[in-house]
Amino acid sequence: MKSISLVIAAVGLLASCHTEDTHCHADDCNPEPPPPPPPTGGDVEVVDCAGATLAATITTDGFNFSPDAATIAVDDIVKFEIGGGHDAQSGTPGTPSDAFDVGFGDTVCLKFTVAGEFPFYCTPHEFTGLITVQ
């Protein structure tokens, strides 16, 4: 009796995922769309800070970025003023991207040319920040 119940349950599961054109496993019936690709170096440009109209200025304050999040428009410029013991690498700890890299103690202005989320972090201390471009 137990094996008949298992067969009926398996047939019911397969039937619930059947469409006219395809068959799928229970976990694959409603796949989530893939995540957007990570930002690349072509999405952020280094620009001259002199005379630039800034949308935000990111600094380091102890062991965090200040502010740690900013929302800007496409083609806006963000100034990074990073303290000597810190840097700002695009991506997340363990998953860096090549969108930008602000070195230890550097001041750099970056123009964000596409919409998206641009996470960044301090490589030795792993505190994080996020630029959202709309």
Side-chain angles (χ1 to χ4, degrees), residues 36-40 43-45 54-59 65-82 88-92 97 99-102 108-121 127-134:
T40 65
D43 299 338
V44 180
E45 300 172 5
L54 303 175
T57 299
I58 307 291
T59 62
F65 292 107
S66 180
D68 63 356
T71 300
I72 64 172
V74 171
D75 291 334
D76 275 355
I77 298 170
V78 175
K79 184 177 187 178
F80 282 81
E81 294 179 332
I82 305 302
Q89 167 68 52
S90 63
T92 58
S97 83
F100 62 89
D101 184 7
V102 180
V108 176
C109 286
L110 302 173
K111 180 178 180 179
F112 292 79
T113 61
V114 297
E117 290 189 338
F118 294 81
F120 57 95
Y121 67 103
F127 56 87
T128 62
L130 178 67
I131 303 290
T132 302
V133 183
Q134 299 178 333

